[in-house]
Amino acid sequence: MSNFSDNIIGETGIVSDINHNSQTIFFDNKYSDPVIFAQPLSYNGNQAAIVRIEDIQSDRFTASIQETSNLDGKHINESFSYLVLEKGTWQLENDTLLEVGTVDTNLLSSDGWENIDFTHDFTENPLVFSQVQTDNDPDFVRTRQRNTNTSGFEITMQEEEARNHTAHLTESVGWLAISAGSGNWSNNSYLAGQTGNSVSHNWHTIDFEDNLTQSPVLLASIATYNGADPAGLRSSNLSSNQVDIKIEEDTSKDTEVSHNKEAVNFFAITGNDFLRGIPLSEGVFEENSEIIDEGKWDVIYDGLNQSEPLNIVGMQNVLIINSTFNNVQSGDAIYIRDSDNVHIENVTINNTINNDAIDIRYSDDVYIDDIIVNKISGASDLSGVRIWQSTDIIIEDSEFSRIFSPGHSAGIKIARGELTANVTIDNNHVYNTYGNGIVSGGGSAALEPNQAHDTPNPGLRITNNLIHDIGKTPSPRANSPVHGLYIKAQDAYIAGNTVYNSFDGEGISIRSTAVVIDNKIWDTKLAALAFYQDAPAGPSQKSVIKNNELFFTENRPKADHGAAALLRLHWTENYKNSIQYDTFKVRNNKLSINTEEIGNPALINLYSFDNLTLVGNDFIDKRARTRFFQYIGDPLIRYEERNTNSFNEV
């Protein structure tokens, strides 16, 4: 597989002093087939205006502000962000799909629309951005889009309103399609999203919801065609937290500038590093026939069927594919140590006894895809995959079940070890286990002042996993409970996971700073989602819990630890660790209890807490005796923002 660090596909920048005079902007890198995106324009001057691009070269492009023909053409200084990307279909480091293309067209919206087909279908409707790349016709012109789906979209151009029914010369129009979401792209933090049908000629605020730490490069495009009048976007008050945006019509035909509400796609990114990706055909989407390229591997194990362990020790460039391991009991089914670039795909491991299915130690660049681990039994604390002191590990699209090992076993476990970094666990299915689903663990005793465990694990991403029927121990245990996700890593990114039927503990249990978003958790014996001050804060000094759905039903496992709440936020001064977090926000979550059968737990259990903000949450309690909060100590909540939450008792 190609190295992401070797393949620069783009960069970003901000131009802060653009006006009606042409200005040449130079790139920091050279590109073979660059496509430029440079909208919206700021709003220092209120005349209808766009950024007009021309003369795109491998290392530069030229831009100016263009006003409509009924104005004087002179415009005060404005600012705009730009993104340059190499044309093609790309896979990013976090497996996000990105496609960049161009189309030559002379169509205005009065004439029709161009149909654009993606070269590779997206799993969900992507966000599309577009920009005219040329100035073959000097008339004022910009783009409109509509009908985006997983396989393509429609695009056209619009001149100013007075001339939109005339002809326009053929222009090259650039477009970009990217999956919605947030994360890290080549050490640049980004957020890609859509507003919904809420943006009109009035200013509308887009909240970046704590995803960004500094004012970003911003791109935006109107995504719908609810109003047919020619229109574009303008922006104002851009900061790390939000931006104001509105739809701008022109006055070339009349003075009416009202516009129907439209959906707007936006992309905000911070950081100064180049943007990197690899061609899709070289990514994780490739077929087995492409993977088995003897020139890429020093050793290939293809079609194994054995009951003995496979030991990969001190090796490089190893491919294990299309293989089965049955009833292995003399060691781990696959043991990897001091090795680099090991690829495991389409492998089944059945009935490993007294050992882990896969054990990775002191190794780098291990990729695991499409494996099945079915039954591990015997000794205590066994796992489907165990990671120890290793970096750049990807585990995806795999299944782990019937892990009948007592103690703190797990489907996937990052064991203690301070060297582990950059682990991605995506789209796996973990179920029917005695122990945890996914663990990033560590020791409990402090190794030095202000350090409560030995596993910071930077770069941990746990996304889109399905975890259920966890903690099915055959008899009660004296030690601490097990959970769907148990995470001690600092600044972990936990997103899009589904967790239910945690019979022994919590759905997701966080022990340090983390971003926990878009997860769905229900029917857990203890809290659905919990935070404990067990570990030092990560470099971000910030935790965010947002857009999660937490609920209990009549099928919730019976709790013998008291009435555990849906959300438990445990913060006690000097509890294991005295480090204070700069920011802790709980926003836009939905917490609901709709049945009397589970007793009287609170929706949120709050200990004495530092810098906690509750914003935009939806609390639903349909019991006769509602109980939204249980306070222990004096939580320092920003009460002035409590009224932005919704409390629905019936």
Side-chain angles (χ1 to χ4, degrees):
M1 194 178 297
S2 295
N3 191 334
F4 283 100
S5 63
D6 296 335
N7 206 31
I8 295 171
I9 64 169
E11 61 188 81
T12 63
I14 296 176
V15 178
S16 58
D17 57 352
I18 190 74
N19 57 34
H20 54 279
N21 296 310
S22 294
Q23 182 177 149
T24 299
I25 294 96
F26 288 88
F27 307 140
D28 292 326
N29 187 58
K30 287 190 175 182
Y31 300 92
S32 299
D33 200 353
V35 183
I36 310 296
F37 303 93
Q39 302 287 355
L41 188 65
S42 63
Y43 199 70
N44 298 331
N46 62 7
Q47 301 89 349
I50 57 171
V51 179
R52 192 70 189 265
I53 301 297
E54 59 180 306
D55 193 26
I56 298 175
Q57 300 183 35
S58 64
D59 63 345
R60 73 192 75 177
F61 70 98
T62 300
S64 61
I65 293 178
Q66 184 178 20
E67 294 183 347
T68 54
S69 63
N70 62 308
L71 303 173
D72 65 9
K74 296 181 179 180
H75 202 95
I76 65 172
N77 281 1
E78 303 274 6
S79 62
F80 71 90
S81 304
Y82 69 86
L83 168 66
V84 53
L85 286 170
E86 197 78 76
K87 186 189 295 186
T89 305
W90 309 101
Q91 175 198 335
L92 311 187
E93 295 98 321
N94 63 358
D95 290 344
T96 294
L97 178 61
L98 171 75
E99 184 164 351
V100 183
T102 59
V103 59
D104 292 335
T105 182
N106 64 355
L107 289 181
L108 297 175
S109 59
S110 56
D111 302 319
W113 296 75
E114 299 281 0
N115 291 308
I116 305 297
D117 295 324
F118 302 135
T119 59
H120 189 284
D121 285 356
F122 288 75
T123 56
E124 296 181 353
N125 293 347
L127 306 174
V128 174
F129 304 85
S130 58
Q131 175 97 32
V132 177
Q133 306 287 293
T134 50
D135 66 337
N136 299 328
D137 189 322
D139 286 352
F140 181 97
V141 67
R142 50 193 167 191
T143 60
R144 290 291 296 273
Q145 306 154 199
R146 69 180 185 186
N147 296 338
T148 299
N149 56 43
T150 58
S151 60
F153 66 101
E154 294 179 332
I155 193 169
T156 192
M157 298 187 294
Q158 288 187 316
E159 288 196 0
E160 61 191 61
E161 189 172 5
R163 301 176 61 88
N164 197 50
H165 290 273
T166 64
H168 193 94
L169 296 180
T170 297
E171 306 278 8
S172 176
V173 173
W175 56 267
L176 154 66
I178 186 172
S179 300
S182 60
N184 184 284
W185 182 3
S186 304
N187 299 315
N188 303 280
S189 297
Y190 77 89
L191 172 66
Q194 187 181 99
T195 62
N197 290 318
S198 57
V199 183
S200 68
H201 53 281
N202 298 313
W203 288 107
H204 173 89
T205 299
I206 297 174
D207 187 348
F208 298 144
E209 298 185 352
D210 306 302
N211 284 280
L212 309 174
T213 58
Q214 63 190 60
S215 184
V217 164
L218 174 73
L219 301 181
S221 286
I222 301 173
T224 50
Y225 196 66
N226 300 329
D229 284 354
L233 294 173
R234 299 290 290 273
S235 66
S236 183
N237 300 323
L238 177 63
S239 71
S240 62
N241 297 316
Q242 61 187 38
V243 67
D244 294 330
I245 202 160
K246 75 171 184 176
I247 293 176
E248 178 183 70
E249 292 191 2
D250 67 81
T251 57
S252 62
K253 182 178 179 181
D254 52 48
T255 59
E256 182 272 316
V257 292
S258 298
H259 196 91
N260 292 344
K261 289 183 177 181
E262 307 271 9
V264 169
N265 295 333
F266 63 90
F267 178 82
I269 185 167
T270 64
N272 299 314
D273 285 359
F274 288 117
L275 305 176
R276 293 172 168 84
I278 58 175
L280 182 64
S281 61
E282 297 182 19
V284 298
F285 305 95
E286 60 196 346
E287 300 295 333
N288 283 350
S289 59
E290 296 172 319
I291 294 172
I292 304 177
D293 178 354
E294 295 185 1
K296 295 169 58 177
W297 309 104
D298 294 337
V299 179
I300 297 176
Y301 297 96
D302 184 9
L304 298 178
N305 189 347
Q306 63 185 51
S307 59
E308 295 299 319
L310 177 63
N311 295 321
I312 309 297
V313 179
M315 301 171 66
Q316 293 183 337
N317 306 320
V318 179
L319 173 64
I320 307 166
I321 194 168
N322 303 328
S323 296
T324 301
F325 297 82
N326 289 306
N327 305 316
V328 177
Q329 55 183 320
S330 57
D332 303 314
I334 300 176
Y335 179 70
I336 303 168
R337 185 184 180 99
D338 297 312
S339 297
D340 297 331
N341 191 24
V342 180
H343 188 121
I344 305 172
E345 182 157 352
N346 192 25
V347 169
T348 298
I349 301 173
N350 292 310
N351 194 29
T352 301
I353 303 170
N354 292 324
N355 291 280
D356 298 319
I358 300 176
D359 192 339
I360 304 167
R361 298 175 181 247
Y362 306 104
S363 297
D364 298 318
D365 194 13
V366 178
Y367 174 60
I368 298 173
D369 177 42
D370 191 23
I371 70 166
I372 296 174
V373 174
N374 177 32
K375 192 179 180 181
I376 298 174
S377 61
S380 177
D381 191 18
L382 301 177
S383 299
V385 176
R386 182 186 301 269
I387 302 167
W388 177 291
Q389 306 272 58
S390 298
T391 61
D392 297 321
I393 312 298
I394 297 175
I395 305 169
E396 62 184 9
D397 301 329
S398 297
E399 181 176 305
F400 303 86
S401 67
R402 304 176 70 209
I403 300 177
F404 300 149
S405 166
H408 279 224
S409 56
I412 301 170
K413 184 171 188 177
I414 302 172
R416 69 179 65 184
E418 60 183 353
L419 299 181
T420 298
N422 301 331
V423 177
T424 296
I425 302 171
D426 180 67
N427 197 38
N428 301 285
H429 188 187
V430 184
Y431 63 101
N432 194 13
T433 75
Y434 285 176
N436 299 275
I438 299 173
V439 169
S440 171
S444 296
L447 302 182
E448 57 185 61
N450 288 330
Q451 182 174 338
H453 71 97
D454 64 347
T455 311
N457 290 343
L460 176 62
R461 298 178 61 86
I462 302 177
T463 55
N464 306 314
N465 299 283
L466 173 60
I467 302 168
H468 61 91
D469 296 290
I470 299 299
K472 299 177 67 174
T473 50
S475 60
R477 296 186 318 279
N479 56 355
S480 57
V482 297
H483 313 283
L485 285 144
Y486 178 78
I487 308 300
K488 278 193 171 181
Q490 296 173 359
D491 292 343
Y493 181 75
I494 314 296
N497 301 285
T498 298
V499 184
Y500 65 92
N501 289 354
S502 182
F503 292 108
D504 189 52
E506 289 148 356
I508 298 180
S509 190
I510 304 297
R511 306 297 171 125
S512 182
T513 43
V515 173
V516 185
I517 65 172
D518 296 325
N519 301 284
K520 186 173 183 179
I521 313 167
W522 73 93
D523 288 350
T524 57
K525 184 176 182 180
L526 299 182
L529 174 57
F531 164 85
Y532 297 87
Q533 182 199 352
D534 279 4
S540 74
Q541 292 285 306
K542 178 173 72 174
S543 281
V544 178
I545 297 174
K546 68 177 183 179
N547 295 344
N548 300 285
E549 183 177 358
L550 317 177
F551 59 96
F552 291 152
T553 76
E554 63 275 8
N555 298 317
R556 182 193 180 195
K558 303 302 180 184
D560 55 7
H561 301 281
L566 277 166
L567 176 60
R568 178 180 172 90
L569 301 178
H570 189 289
W571 177 277
T572 303
E573 189 172 1
N574 298 321
Y575 171 74
K576 292 189 178 181
N577 199 310
S578 61
I579 294 175
Q580 302 292 298
Y581 294 4
D582 287 347
T583 305
F584 200 115
K585 292 192 176 181
V586 178
R587 58 192 307 155
N588 301 341
N589 301 282
K590 181 178 180 181
L591 284 69
S592 60
I593 297 178
N594 297 321
T595 176
E596 299 284 354
E597 297 184 26
I598 60 169
N600 194 36
L603 270 66
I604 298 186
N605 177 246
L606 284 169
Y607 281 65
S608 181
F609 218 90
D610 182 68
N611 292 336
L612 174 65
T613 302
L614 298 172
V615 179
N617 299 285
D618 191 6
F619 300 108
I620 300 173
D621 190 344
K622 294 187 177 180
R623 296 170 295 179
R625 294 176 57 203
T626 59
R627 193 181 186 200
F628 296 109
F629 296 98
Q630 177 189 14
Y631 296 108
I632 300 174
D634 183 21
L636 301 177
I637 302 174
R638 297 184 182 181
Y639 287 98
E640 68 273 14
E641 296 184 340
R642 279 279 302 278
N643 61 2
T644 65
N645 299 291
S646 172
F647 295 84
N648 301 315
E649 298 185 13
V650 180

